[in-house]
Amino acid sequence: MVVNRIRDLLRRHPAARQAVREVRGRLPRCLSGLASDPVPSRRRFDLALPRLEDGSRDGPDSLAFNAPGELWLPRKLDQGGLAGFEPETLACFLAALDHARPGAVLDVGANVGVYALLAAARCRRPVHAFEPTPHIAGAARDLAEANRLPVEVAELAVGDRTGKAVFTLSSTSDASNSLAAGFRPEAGRLEVRVETLSRWCEHTGTVPAVVKIDTETTEPDVISGAVDVLRESRPWVFCEVLPGRGVEERLMELLRPLEYTWHQLGEELPCPARTVIDGRISGPEQRMWLFAPEEPPATLWTHARAWRRALSSCVPGPGHTTAPAADGDRTG
């Protein structure tokens, strides 16, 4: 009788059902939970970095990762390395670093800063990462300092206006935190500083050459606040496109007057220009698009193929295991 009443309660109240699911996700299976392994307080591992076959790039062979154990992105990298994390996009991103005119790299919606760290390890451009969640921005800053990489981490959100805004923390994953209310089930909110990319670049004197944007459905707002920068500096833009939320239409409206072309990134190289931006084209594991200020040259795709081959070997080594550190152990 009691069990049936509890089940009825959970069916009627999605918030209660979500809370139970979150609790079960943290409990071991022996206690009717869903977690197969305990979450380490710190996640420590070496992340292998790609290097071209001709050995023409300086920089480290790997990054020493020491990050909070509950964060999604370090867990993903710990399990599969860079070979298992958006390798098609990373390959084109690295090729764009080789090809783009002089200028900075901007990682907007950086999380712990994988794109920013990789750029700093494989090029000599100024690198800036933008992450509004305080403890995640702190982890990105720690990783850059521990690996002696010149990444400047700005603890702010990028959007279509300047000021303060409510930032929603997702109960699904810390990688789904967003300025878009209701994008994912909510675990909390915090007030964050927001700035447009055009204003930030003007204030800091930064000229961007390559920009990566992953802000969980607010990418059109980022582009809207960066129109002046895109018109004047013509950076190459790597942008996540999630379907079904009006993102595609707004992006096309903003990019058409700027004469950018859009290319859905995947295993096919060269990636052909598309007539429309449609997030449904790509699979659930690949939502990144390239917005190109000019027709991508053949050399860019050649470099992308070379980087893709290099990334295929960036997997955890034999006998790799996560080495949890004590709660007080902190990088840097």
Side-chain angles (χ1 to χ4, degrees), residues 122-325:
R122 287 295 178 264
C123 75
R124 300 182 184 274
R125 299 174 182 272
V127 180
H128 303 270
F130 301 85
E131 173 53 51
T133 314
H135 72 286
I136 301 178
R141 194 173 293 113
D142 287 348
L143 287 168
E145 292 176 356
N147 288 280
R148 299 182 180 180
L149 293 174
V151 176
E152 295 293 329
V153 180
E155 193 174 304
L156 61 85
V158 179
D160 60 356
R161 60 187 176 84
T162 296
K164 299 285 187 178
V166 174
F167 191 67
T168 301
L169 304 178
S170 169
S171 63
T172 304
S173 166
D174 59 85
S176 296
N177 297 342
S178 177
L179 285 173
F183 170 60
R184 290 285 187 262
E186 182 180 319
R189 300 179 183 180
L190 55 88
E191 186 179 70
V192 299
R193 184 163 63 97
V194 183
E195 196 161 357
T196 68
L197 213 53
S198 292
R199 179 181 174 90
W200 183 88
C201 288
E202 180 181 8
H203 176 71
T204 61
T206 301
V207 177
V210 179
V211 180
K212 168 258 176 180
I213 307 171
D214 183 352
T215 56
E216 302 302 288
T217 75
T218 67
E219 291 82 7
D221 293 339
V222 177
I223 295 291
S224 177
V227 166
D228 291 341
V229 167
L230 269 60
R231 182 181 297 113
E232 296 170 7
S233 302
R234 308 298 289 172
W236 296 77
V237 179
F238 294 84
C239 182
E240 183 182 54
V241 179
L242 295 175
R245 298 179 180 273
V247 171
E248 300 102 322
E249 292 80 5
R250 289 191 61 202
L251 286 173
M252 288 188 287
E253 290 174 1
L254 291 163
L255 293 169
R256 277 197 183 104
L258 300 173
E259 298 182 339
Y260 269 72
T261 58
W262 36 81
H263 308 254
Q264 187 262 321
L265 298 178
E267 294 184 1
E268 180 184 3
L269 290 174
C271 300
R274 301 285 185 177
T275 56
V276 296
I277 298 175
D278 187 349
R280 296 171 300 178
I281 295 175
S282 52
E285 296 298 323
Q286 181 53 270
R287 300 294 194 188
M288 297 296 284
W289 287 63
L290 167 64
F291 301 152
E294 61 191 51
E295 182 179 353
T299 53
L300 184 141
W301 303 122
T302 299
H303 286 177
R305 281 190 287 267
W307 281 116
R308 184 68 183 89
R309 290 192 296 270
L311 282 160
S312 66
S313 64
C314 294
V315 297
H320 168 82
T321 57
T322 300

